[in-house]
C-alpha cells in the first residue's frame, strides 16, 4: 500500500515544477555571520512561489491561530468560573435566576426590584457590597446567585480586549468544611490558599450564609480564628471589588461573632436588602 506521504508527494509533483529563479530571503548562521542561502523557487498551479516562504507563512498562521485559541480560552475561563469553581452543596441554587424568583409578599417584590437595580449598577462598573439579611429560607441565596448569573456574561469573541467578568458563589460553611478536610486529605485541591485565592480573584463574589459556618449562630461564640483568617484574606484582596453577602445574622450578632475590624470591612460601602416580613418560603412546599 502506498503511504499517504508518497501520495501527497506525487500529487505535488504533478502540479509543481522548479523555476529558474531563487529566493534570497533565507539565511543561516555561520560563525557570527548570517549567510544567505538561496532557495529555488517553484511553480505551483501556475504561480511562482518560494517553498520556504510558504512554509514560514503557514507556521506563522498556525502560531497565530493557536495564540488566539489560547487567548479565547483564557477569556472564557473567566466566564466559566461561576459554573466550574463555585463552592456550594445545595445544587438547586444553580438554577436560580431573577425570572424564577417567586414573589408573594410586597417585601419580596420590593427586594427583588432593589436587587435587580443594584445588579445593574454593578454591571455598569460601580463598586459596593450588598448585604441580604433575613430569616433562613426567604430566598437570599436565590437572589444572590441570580445577580451573579446576570453579571456573568461571556466575552465578545469579536472583541479581543473583552475578557468578560468572573463570578463566584461560595457557601461559607461548605468552603470551611472543604478547607478543613484538605488539612488531612493531601489529594484535595481545596486548600486554604486555593479557596481564599479564588475568592479574592473573582470580579464578583457571593459569600453565602455568613455566620452559619461555625454551626453555632444561636450561641454567643465567636467565629473561629480560622474563619477570621479566611475572611481577612478575602476582604483585603477585595477592597476594590463588589462582594454580595447573605446572612441570617442580625447586626448585633454579626458584631458578636466577628471582630470589629472585620465587621467594618465587610459592611463597608454596603447596600442592604432586608427581609423583615418574609418567612421561610420553602415551608410552603411541605404537604403538612
Ligand atoms: Zn523565500
Amino acid at each position: 500500500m502506498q503511504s499517504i506521504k508518497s501520495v501527497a508527494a506525487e500529487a505535488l509533483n504533478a502540479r509543481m515544477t522548479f523555476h529558474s529563479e531563487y529566493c534570497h530571503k533565507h539565511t543561516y548562521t555561520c560563525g557570527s555571520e548570517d549567510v544567505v542561502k538561496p532557495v529555488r523557487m517553484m511553480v505551483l498551479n501556475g504561480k511562482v512561489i518560494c517553498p520556504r516562504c510558504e512554509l514560514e507563512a503557514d507556521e506563522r498562521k498556525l502560531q497565530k491561530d493557536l495564540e488566539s485559541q489560547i487567548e479565547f480560552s483564557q477569556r472564557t475561563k473567566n466566564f466559566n468560573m461561576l459554573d466550574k469553581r463555585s463552592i456550594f452543596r445545595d445544587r438547586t441554587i444553580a438554577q436560580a435566576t431573577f425570572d424564577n424568583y417567586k414573589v408573594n409578599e410586597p417585601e419580596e417584590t420590593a427586594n427583588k426590584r432593589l436587587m435587580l437595580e443594584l445588579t445593574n449598577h454593578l454591571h455598569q462598573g460601580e463598586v459596593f457590597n450588598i448585604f441580604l439579611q433575613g430569616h433562613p429560607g426567604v430566598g437570599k441565596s436565590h437572589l444572590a446567585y441570580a445577580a451573579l448569573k446576570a453579571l456573568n456574561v461571556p466575552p465578545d469573541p469579536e472583541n479581543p480586549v473583552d475578557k468578560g467578568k468572573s463570578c463566584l458563589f461560595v457557601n461559607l460553611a461548605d468552603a470551611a468544611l472543604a478547607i478543613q478536610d484538605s488539612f488531612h486529605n493531601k489529594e484535595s485541591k481545596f486548600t486554604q490558599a486555593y479557596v481564599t485565592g479564588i475568592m479574592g480573584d473573582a470580579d464578583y463574589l457571593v459569600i453565602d450564609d455568613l455566620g452559619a459556618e461555625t454551626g453555632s449562630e444561636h450561641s454567643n461564640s465567636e467565629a473561629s480564628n480560622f474563619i477570621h483568617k479566611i475572611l481577612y484574606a478575602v476582604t483585603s484582596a477585595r477592597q476594590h471589588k463588589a462582594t454580595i453577602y447573605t446572612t441570617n445574622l442580625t447586626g448585633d450578632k454579626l458584631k458578636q461573632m466577628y471582630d470589629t475590624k472585620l465587621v467594618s470591612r465587610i459592611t463597608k460601602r454596603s447596600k442592604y436588602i432586608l427581609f423583615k416580613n418574609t418567612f421561610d418560603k420553602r415551608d410552603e412546599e411541605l404537604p403538612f
Side-chain angles (χ1 to χ4, degrees):
M1 216 172 116
Q2 237 180 341
S3 75
I4 292 174
K5 240 184 181 164
S6 69
V7 173
E10 227 169 69
L12 271 180
N13 282 336
R15 290 177 293 124
M16 216 162 152
T17 52
F18 282 108
H19 193 262
S20 57
E21 281 169 38
Y22 287 82
C23 173
H24 296 279
K25 288 178 190 163
H26 310 283
T27 58
Y28 63 93
T29 313
C30 180
S32 59
E33 273 176 64
D34 285 341
V35 182
V36 173
K37 182 181 187 289
V39 174
R40 191 157 179 194
M41 309 277 269
M42 301 185 110
V43 183
L44 179 64
N45 297 331
K47 223 176 112 194
V48 180
I49 56 140
C50 161
R52 268 292 283 280
C53 285
E54 293 292 307
L55 196 69
E56 285 172 11
D58 272 0
E59 278 170 1
R60 276 195 301 274
K61 190 181 174 298
L62 207 69
Q63 183 66 27
K64 230 183 126 206
D65 287 352
L66 199 68
E67 276 165 14
S68 70
Q69 260 176 44
I70 291 171
E71 209 207 80
F72 193 67
S73 83
Q74 279 302 114
R75 289 163 61 199
T76 46
K77 207 170 136 193
N78 279 348
F79 174 69
N80 291 332
M81 191 182 204
L82 179 62
D83 199 34
K84 299 260 191 296
R85 297 195 175 203
S86 288
I87 303 170
F88 59 99
R89 283 187 294 183
D90 176 5
R91 300 315 296 180
T92 57
I93 292 172
Q95 309 306 318
T97 62
F98 281 118
D99 284 343
N100 62 26
Y101 182 77
K102 299 267 178 295
V103 291
N104 298 313
E105 306 288 329
E107 183 181 66
E108 293 170 294
T109 310
N111 283 350
K112 178 183 176 178
R113 192 179 302 139
L114 180 56
M115 191 65 182
L116 265 165
E117 202 180 291
L118 293 176
T119 303
N120 261 331
H121 286 287
L122 290 178
H123 189 70
Q124 284 156 19
E126 282 180 48
V127 178
F128 51 82
N129 295 338
I130 302 174
F131 237 89
L132 291 143
Q133 193 274 341
H135 306 286
V138 296
K140 304 183 295 291
S141 307
H142 187 126
L143 282 181
Y145 197 90
L148 289 189
K149 250 198 192 147
L151 292 164
N152 194 43
V153 283
D156 175 1
E158 302 301 321
N159 176 359
V161 292
D162 179 19
K163 303 238 185 287
K165 292 284 184 204
S166 58
C167 298
L168 189 71
F169 187 97
V170 174
N171 177 282
L172 195 52
D174 293 343
L177 281 177
I179 294 171
Q180 278 165 328
D181 174 68
S182 80
F183 295 159
H184 329 282
N185 175 4
K186 296 297 164 209
E187 305 284 295
S188 170
K189 72 168 182 178
F190 296 99
T191 61
Q192 192 162 335
Y194 167 79
V195 175
T196 54
I198 56 173
M199 288 174 80
D201 283 348
D203 292 313
Y204 300 105
L205 172 71
V206 168
I207 296 183
D208 185 44
D209 226 350
L210 180 70
E213 70 280 0
T214 58
S216 57
E217 56 179 297
H218 300 298
S219 78
N220 292 328
S221 69
E222 262 184 53
S224 64
N225 257 341
F226 157 72
I227 294 294
H228 268 92
K229 265 190 204 156
I230 295 172
L231 290 175
Y232 261 112
V234 171
T235 50
S236 74
R238 302 193 60 76
Q239 304 203 37
H240 308 288
K241 291 176 183 173
T243 308
I244 300 169
Y245 296 88
T246 78
T247 188
N248 309 333
L249 298 179
T250 60
D252 284 344
K253 266 287 194 239
L254 195 73
K255 287 181 196 158
Q256 257 172 39
M257 277 189 73
Y258 304 102
D259 70 42
T260 319
K261 206 174 145 197
L262 187 58
V263 173
S264 89
R265 274 197 191 184
I266 289 174
T267 53
K268 209 172 111 190
R269 301 170 310 201
S270 256
K271 314 273 185 197
Y272 296 94
I273 298 184
L274 309 176
F275 292 84
K276 291 180 188 294
N277 311 317
T278 311
F279 294 90
D280 201 332
K281 292 154 76 83
R282 295 169 299 190
D283 281 353
E284 293 159 17
E285 290 162 23
L286 295 178
F288 55 90

